[in-house]
Amino acid sequence: MKALATKTGRQLKRAKAMLVTAESCTGGWVAQAITSVAGSSAWFERGFVTYSNAAKQQMLGVSRKTLSKHGAVSEETAREMATRALVRGRGTVALAVTGIAGPGGGSAAKPVGTVCFAWAKKGARVRSETQRFRGGREAVRRQSVIRALRGVLELLQGA
């Protein structure tokens, strides 16, 4: 993960971009991975850990309507988290992660391991996706951090 965070940092620095994170199920792990790289203050602006729906609303401004209609674990919520993180932070690139790490909390429609991501860049369309990861809580969270960072690289490369 350190190598991936280092590579992400190099690409952000090369692009003269500043990253903002909005995390739920990863609880700040993406920000921790990023800030484990020396010099990350050159490309990391801030991180929001919005574990509860109230935090998503208060800290980021995610709408109550989005949360009630689609749920906290949805691409709609992830997209709002990312776009609002750009507004509330001073970054130029944002990522958002929200999901069900387990062991409980899943349903037939959204089983444990369901994680929604979004990546936003000023002046570009927001990208989002849903993944279903296998494994226990730590495995789901670890895979989520990796996917979030890879998504930043893809966004910067215009994929």
Side-chain angles (χ1 to χ4, degrees):
M1 196 173 316
K2 177 93 176 217
L4 180 58
T6 300
K7 182 177 181 179
T8 303
R10 275 196 310 265
Q11 292 297 327
L12 285 160
K13 194 171 180 179
R14 192 172 295 141
K16 294 182 170 77
M18 289 295 282
L19 179 65
V20 177
T21 60
E23 301 180 65
S24 186
C25 67
T26 49
W29 197 348
V30 176
Q32 188 281 327
I34 289 165
T35 58
S36 72
V37 178
S40 57
S41 61
W43 47 273
F44 182 65
E45 204 276 324
R46 74 180 72 183
F48 296 94
V49 177
T50 56
Y51 206 70
S52 69
N53 284 355
K56 288 174 183 64
Q57 291 175 290
Q58 292 165 2
M59 294 175 71
L60 295 172
V62 173
S63 80
R64 183 180 313 233
K65 182 178 176 183
T66 299
L67 290 165
S68 65
K69 183 175 181 181
H70 302 286
V73 180
S74 65
E75 288 186 39
E76 291 82 1
T77 295
R79 284 194 300 268
E80 260 191 65
M81 289 171 67
T83 56
R84 299 300 296 160
L86 281 180
V87 171
R88 301 273 169 111
R90 292 190 182 112
T92 56
V93 173
L95 69 84
V97 185
T98 183
I100 306 163
S107 67
K110 295 178 185 178
V112 169
T114 302
V115 183
C116 300
F117 300 88
W119 298 272
K121 183 178 173 184
K122 287 199 174 178
R125 208 179 104 226
V126 180
R127 294 180 40 239
S128 64
E129 67 181 43
T130 301
Q131 294 285 328
R132 290 212 169 84
F133 298 119
R134 294 181 186 268
R137 183 176 181 79
E138 178 142 347
V140 168
R141 293 174 76 224
R142 178 178 299 279
Q143 292 170 87
S144 297
V145 172
I146 291 167
R147 181 64 196 118
L149 291 173
R150 285 184 177 152
V152 171
L153 292 172
E154 292 165 7
L155 181 70
L156 292 171
Q157 294 164 356

